[in-house]
Amino acid sequence: MSVNVRFWDRIAQRYARMPVRDPDAYTRKLEMTRAYMKPGAEVFEFGCGTGTTALNHAPHARHVTAIDCAPSMIDIAQEKATAEGIGNVTFQVANLEEMAHAPGCYDMVMAHNVLHLLTDRHAALAHVHDMLRPGGIFVSSTACAARAPWLFRAIVKTGGALRLLPLFHLLTEDQLKSDITAAGFEIVEEWLPEGGKSALFLIARKVG
């Protein structure tokens, strides 16, 4: 089991109990996403955690497929789906690169709080581009912490080097946007809540 999987599996119960840090910002992100979610949409989310966002969007889509690398996260997500009586979400333990798919099989792909944690972000974006139909929508919320306080940056670098914390890329907003556009997307919505203290929220459309 990798460092990333062990870390997220170990903290899953604690993560599930954590309240949404900024409920107003989270609600706005849901609303912005749904504006691009057509009736009958096939939606895919990777790095879904305990499934909160997938379950919130389920009533607005035909079906949501949501994956996470940590089994304990998926166990909690499935328990929540059962408790809430939501039957059009499929939760699965998997990594993005393991997912077999027909090209253009999804209308929307979501990646919340995960792009900065990936070993190969560029390969992941290429995979997402292939999963989406022409004109499909990619929604992401990503920590861009290159200019975070030095202590935070030191902790994530040291923790990663010692294999105590998962990999954490210290991205800039411009770097992230450049990576997404280079992968074949046009950014159509951009929002950075709290004056730059939160994750950069982007909605991008597949070009071609």
Side-chain angles (χ1 to χ4, degrees):
M1 186 181 288
S2 71
V3 173
N4 279 9
V5 175
R6 285 199 305 271
F7 177 85
W8 295 112
D9 212 46
R10 187 173 65 249
I11 72 164
Q13 291 292 339
R14 185 174 63 185
Y15 182 86
R17 292 192 297 269
M18 292 172 60
V20 175
R21 189 177 61 142
D22 187 340
D24 291 338
Y26 182 65
T27 297
R28 180 174 171 181
K29 291 177 181 180
L30 293 176
E31 292 171 347
M32 291 173 69
T33 301
R34 288 171 189 158
Y36 292 86
M37 193 177 293
K38 297 179 180 180
E42 288 287 343
V43 179
F44 179 83
E45 182 182 10
F46 64 101
C48 70
T50 58
T52 299
T53 298
L55 294 170
N56 272 311
H57 284 313
H60 306 273
R62 194 195 77 78
H63 188 265
V64 181
T65 301
I67 68 169
D68 197 275
C69 66
S72 294
M73 292 283 191
I74 292 299
D75 287 345
I76 294 169
Q78 290 173 333
E79 289 170 4
K80 288 163 64 173
T82 300
E84 296 173 28
I86 297 175
N88 66 327
V89 180
T90 300
F91 289 109
Q92 182 177 346
V93 179
N95 292 308
L96 178 63
E97 61 270 19
E98 298 170 348
M99 295 299 295
H101 66 278
C105 59
Y106 289 103
D107 300 290
M108 176 179 285
V109 174
M110 302 186 296
H112 297 293
N113 302 309
V114 67
L115 290 180
H116 57 287
L117 302 174
L118 299 178
T119 302
D120 192 338
R121 181 173 62 259
H122 302 95
L125 290 170
H127 199 96
V128 169
H129 188 273
D130 190 55
M131 298 173 90
L132 285 166
R133 64 168 176 78
I137 298 297
F138 177 46
V139 181
S140 62
S141 187
T142 308
C144 295
R147 290 183 287 274
W150 71 268
L151 181 58
F152 174 84
R153 288 182 279 125
I155 288 172
V156 298
K157 286 182 178 179
T158 303
L162 295 175
R163 300 178 65 80
L164 298 173
L165 295 175
L167 177 69
F168 192 114
H169 291 287
L170 296 168
L171 302 174
T172 66
E173 289 87 357
D174 287 344
Q175 182 181 3
L176 175 65
K177 289 187 288 184
S178 177
D179 288 347
I180 290 175
T181 55
F185 293 95
E186 173 194 10
I187 295 172
V188 295
E189 298 271 3
E190 175 182 342
W191 183 46
L192 187 62
E194 298 181 18
K197 296 180 181 178
S198 292
L200 178 62
F201 183 71
L202 297 172
I203 298 177
R205 180 178 288 113
K206 177 178 176 176
V207 178

